[in-house]
Amino acid sequence: MGLSRSVVVENFPFKSVLNQFLGAIAVNIITISHGAAIGWVSPFLPYLQSSESHLTSGSVSIEQASWIGSLLCIGGMIGAPLFGLLADRFGKKLGLQLIVIPHVAFWLCILYGPNVYFIYLGRILAGSGGGGILRAIPLYIADIAHSKLRGMLGSVLVISLNVGILLGFVLGDSLSYFTVPYVMLVAPTLFVACTCFLPETPYCLLKQNRTEKAELSLMFYRGVEGHFQKTDDFRKEFEQMKKLAQLTEDPSEEHKLSWRDFCTKQARKGLGIGIFLMALNQFCGALAIITYSANIFTESGSDLSPNVSSIIVALIQLTGTAVSFILVDNLGRKILLLISTIGTTAGLFSMGIFSFLQHSGHDLSELGSLPILSLSFTILFSSFGILPLPYVILAEVLPQKIRNVGSTISILMISTSAFVVLKLFPIMIDRLHLYGAMWFHASICAISIFVILFAVPETKGKDLLTVEEKPDIVERKETDI
């Protein structure tokens, strides 16, 4: 009986693996819906820019289109600290569930908004939910995941985001502007229903001095069905969590978060790596390509229709993140980042060359499929590492004591970078042409190859339950899940 109920998957009881994955999937239902909000722009922006637009403010201009794309990031700057604070104060579970409020409001603005300013408002609201997702879900996963599963479980966020983007493209191609919001309002309802059945993370419960419930929560996420099944590893892990919770809640001056905690070598390096990876995540241009993909394919003269081309690119992106999901805990973070950045650089340069030759008047009619091949190549390789891995690595390079604040700083960086890229991308295409925009992002990726090679450490399999030493503070044990 013991063998049948403890099917072992890479030395983990099957139920432990199952419960951790179910938890990761349940909280990422809202990520799928947010992905659809990102993908919504590509199929419907051409409609809003056309003379058929229903908006009382008239058809959307290039300047207004750039605001529609970029205001999502302004919302992210608001949502990351706000929902991070709520998650830290009331627990990650409730903090995540509250993200439903601005997300639902976005779809209602799209459904009932009569002019472009309601779309602006909706995009800010959607962005605030997205900032909360990027701030809270990686730390939720870090709380519940075993170190040997953390990379795979962390990758579920980006896979879910890409599933949502693909869903937004498909729905936008097959349904009307006013039908899509009705369909997408199902997702936040399902999210709340599913997360209601999950226990709060063990670490959050320990910080609330609910030790018994914290132990039951860890038992759930480790597949331990009763107290008699507790192993020595389980007891050791739980004891380490309790020590960490006591340490972080210690009111003494020695353990209060202070500026000195951000000045240690480990903290400076961790923050620097986190900020760099979040900036690269956006300045590689992948999100801009996805957001404005229909316009890009129209500009490039692709043989396929813009919406069909966008769906193909989204499928490629999903495939890439699925490959990363499989390899991240086997091949390692750093090698995937290097492969990803090199491939993304090559794809962007090739797309730029095609666009430049086309703009110069060369006959490229026999290469009509090259734009979609180049951009698919770019998205595929960016999905191996640049897009999914920053969220995984972030929790692994930051010292535990500054992890919450450091995560907020890093998410603010990704929101700021995304705003700059999405705001400038359509303007760059208009003034520097498509090849100028492609070469700009390719150059940033090329420089980043050397930064990754020499500055980013390998964090594969890193146990976050480790002793972190600080020369200026008494040695103490810092842990996280």
Side-chain angles (χ1 to χ4, degrees):
M1 177 179 177
L3 182 61
S4 63
R5 292 178 64 88
S6 298
V7 179
V8 176
V9 180
E10 295 187 359
N11 299 322
F12 292 104
F14 174 73
K15 190 169 183 181
S16 170
V17 175
L18 178 64
N19 287 351
Q20 289 178 59
F21 270 94
L22 286 178
I25 292 169
V27 297
N28 276 297
I29 292 173
I30 195 65
T31 309
I32 294 175
S33 191
H34 179 63
I38 295 173
W40 171 88
V41 175
S42 179
F44 288 115
L45 188 57
Y47 158 73
L48 294 173
Q49 291 179 303
S50 71
S51 58
E52 298 177 1
S53 172
H54 71 282
L55 299 178
T56 57
S57 53
S59 59
V60 169
S61 66
I62 292 176
E63 177 69 19
Q64 290 173 327
S66 71
W67 282 112
I68 290 174
S70 60
L71 281 174
L72 190 82
C73 312
I74 296 294
M77 297 177 197
I78 300 169
L82 173 61
F83 288 102
L85 179 65
L86 291 172
D88 295 339
R89 180 68 178 84
F90 300 107
K92 293 182 175 67
K93 178 178 173 179
L94 179 59
L96 281 169
Q97 289 175 329
L98 291 173
I99 292 171
V100 164
I101 297 172
H103 187 73
V104 168
F106 160 70
W107 291 114
L108 293 178
C109 284
I110 298 303
L111 188 60
Y112 296 110
N115 56 51
V116 72
Y117 301 105
F118 276 83
I119 296 178
Y120 289 167
L121 174 62
R123 295 292 287 172
I124 293 173
L125 291 169
S128 68
I133 288 169
L134 297 181
R135 167 62 171 79
I137 288 183
L139 295 182
Y140 170 88
I141 297 299
D143 269 11
I144 70 167
H146 191 282
S147 61
K148 293 184 178 179
L149 296 174
R150 193 171 56 241
M152 295 180 70
L153 293 174
S155 297
V156 173
L157 185 148
V158 180
I159 290 176
S160 301
L161 194 67
N162 292 337
V163 168
I165 290 171
L166 176 60
L167 181 63
F169 285 173
V170 171
L171 292 179
D173 187 54
S174 56
L175 299 177
S176 72
Y177 179 93
F178 293 103
T179 305
V180 171
Y182 284 114
V183 174
M184 289 312 306
L185 284 171
V186 174
T189 306
L190 182 63
F191 164 73
V192 172
C194 290
T195 53
C196 280
F197 292 98
L198 293 176
E200 178 58 272
T201 68
Y203 182 66
C204 283
L205 291 167
L206 284 170
K207 289 185 69 175
Q208 297 168 4
N209 295 317
R210 301 164 69 184
T211 305
E212 187 174 330
K213 284 188 176 295
E215 187 173 22
L216 291 173
S217 174
L218 186 61
M219 288 170 66
F220 171 81
Y221 288 116
R222 295 297 178 266
V224 178
E225 296 185 347
H227 292 282
F228 61 90
Q229 288 189 354
K230 295 176 187 174
T231 63
D232 290 340
D233 287 341
F234 175 89
R235 291 187 177 91
K236 180 181 177 181
E237 183 179 11
F238 189 61
E239 284 301 314
Q240 288 176 316
M241 284 189 193
K242 287 198 292 185
K243 289 178 182 178
L244 169 63
Q246 291 168 0
L247 181 66
T248 54
E249 292 301 302
D250 191 336
S252 66
E253 286 295 324
E254 179 185 342
H255 295 124
K256 283 184 178 180
L257 185 64
S258 68
W259 177 251
R260 294 173 65 191
D261 294 301
F262 293 89
C263 296
T264 65
K265 181 179 179 180
Q266 187 180 17
R268 292 196 307 270
K269 184 176 180 180
L271 273 174
I273 291 170
I275 290 171
F276 161 72
L277 290 176
M278 292 302 178
L280 176 59
N281 180 280
Q282 292 304 312
F283 279 99
C284 73
L287 180 61
I289 290 171
I290 288 294
T291 302
Y292 301 113
S293 56
N295 292 42
I296 291 172
F297 286 116
T298 300
E299 176 81 13
S300 67
S302 172
D303 288 342
L304 296 174
S305 72
N307 283 347
V308 171
S309 299
S310 300
I311 291 171
I312 292 173
V313 169
L315 280 169
I316 296 293
Q317 184 179 32
L318 183 56
T319 302
T321 48
V323 171
S324 174
F325 173 80
I326 295 169
L327 296 178
V328 65
D329 282 321
N330 295 308
L331 190 59
R333 280 63 153 156
K334 184 167 183 172
I335 187 65
L336 275 179
L337 272 175
L338 282 171
I339 293 171
S340 173
T341 310
I342 292 169
T344 303
T345 303
L348 288 168
F349 267 123
S350 66
M351 182 63 195
I353 291 170
F354 175 88
S355 176
F356 177 76
L357 293 175
Q358 183 187 54
H359 182 76
S360 300
H362 292 79
D363 182 11
L364 303 178
S365 56
E366 295 183 0
L367 300 175
S369 60
L370 188 59
I372 191 169
L373 290 176
S374 295
L375 290 186
S376 295
F377 186 87
T378 300
I379 294 299
L380 176 66
F381 273 86
S382 65
S383 300
F384 284 167
I386 295 176
L387 297 182
L389 292 186
Y391 307 104
V392 177
I393 295 173
L394 181 62
E396 298 174 329
V397 295
L398 291 173
Q400 186 279 327
K401 193 174 183 184
I402 70 164
R403 196 161 289 149
N404 286 345
V405 176
S407 295
T408 300
I409 293 171
S410 298
I411 296 305
L412 286 174
M413 169 54 68
I414 201 172
S415 297
T416 304
S417 301
F419 172 76
V420 172
V421 171
L422 293 179
K423 182 70 175 70
L424 294 181
F425 194 81
I427 298 172
M428 286 174 65
I429 291 178
D430 183 54
R431 298 182 183 179
L432 301 179
H433 307 292
L434 183 58
Y435 61 84
M438 294 295 106
W439 287 343
F440 169 76
H441 292 294
S443 299
I444 291 176
C445 289
I447 295 170
S448 298
I449 292 170
F450 297 97
V451 179
I452 294 169
L453 191 61
F454 296 110
V456 177
E458 177 56 72
T459 57
K460 169 189 169 185
K462 178 183 177 182
D463 187 358
L464 300 187
L465 299 172
T466 57
V467 175
E468 296 172 356
E469 296 186 5
K470 299 184 178 181
D472 57 335
I473 300 178
V474 177
E475 175 183 332
R476 57 186 180 265
K477 190 179 292 288
E478 297 183 341
T479 64
D480 198 359
I481 303 301

